Amino acid sequence: MYSIDNKQYPCSTSLTMKYIGGKWKAVILIHLIEKKRYSELRRECKVITERTLSLQLKELEEDGLIIRTVHTNKPPLKVDYELTAFGRTLIPLLQAIAQWGIETAEVLKL
């Protein structure tokens, strides 16, 4: 049993899924292995609605996995997103998930 932020997680997998679970979090995180501007991320994640992308980015930031940097020195406003040190610990897991998807698509001829 794990207790984080007054929430109980019955196993390590449920704790992991708290951070990367859902339809889009892992997708967003793998795109953020390299620092990206919001517009780049939006372009790379076309199938995610703008509202959903914004909400997921806020959750990832609240969870400490990404940093949002706003550049206000000149118009137009620019916003960057990048993984935190904590977020970078997920890179091997995200790459393994992506590789599994590639191999599964080949096996199933998708």
Side-chain angles (χ1 to χ4, degrees):
M1 183 74 76
Y2 298 89
S3 180
I4 309 284
D5 297 330
N6 297 320
K7 283 189 163 185
Q8 299 293 319
Y9 299 92
C11 65
S12 58
T13 301
S14 65
L15 177 60
T16 303
M17 296 310 292
K18 172 225 186 299
Y19 290 99
I20 66 165
K23 189 172 181 180
W24 299 116
K25 284 185 180 177
V27 173
I28 293 166
L29 289 167
I30 202 155
H31 282 283
L32 290 177
I33 287 176
E34 293 182 18
K35 183 179 187 176
K36 296 246 180 356
R37 293 229 160 119
Y38 179 81
S39 58
E40 293 174 296
L41 189 58
R42 181 81 182 103
R43 199 170 28 256
E44 291 177 8
C45 300
K46 293 178 203 174
V47 296
I48 306 173
T49 67
E50 194 162 349
R51 177 173 161 40
T52 299
L53 179 59
S54 293
L55 289 171
Q56 295 293 285
L57 287 168
K58 283 179 186 174
E59 286 182 25
L60 291 166
E61 186 178 15
E62 288 169 4
D63 286 341
L65 296 174
I66 65 171
I67 296 171
R68 177 181 186 261
T69 305
V70 179
H71 303 279
T72 58
N73 51 346
K74 63 178 183 174
L77 199 70
K78 295 187 189 234
V79 179
D80 291 335
Y81 290 92
E82 62 186 309
L83 297 177
T84 62
F86 179 49
R88 285 192 299 277
T89 65
L90 286 168
I91 291 173
L93 174 63
L94 296 167
Q95 290 173 330
I97 290 169
Q99 185 59 40
W100 185 86
I102 290 166
E103 292 168 7
T104 300
E106 288 173 3
V107 168
L108 299 175
K109 308 271 192 253
L110 299 176

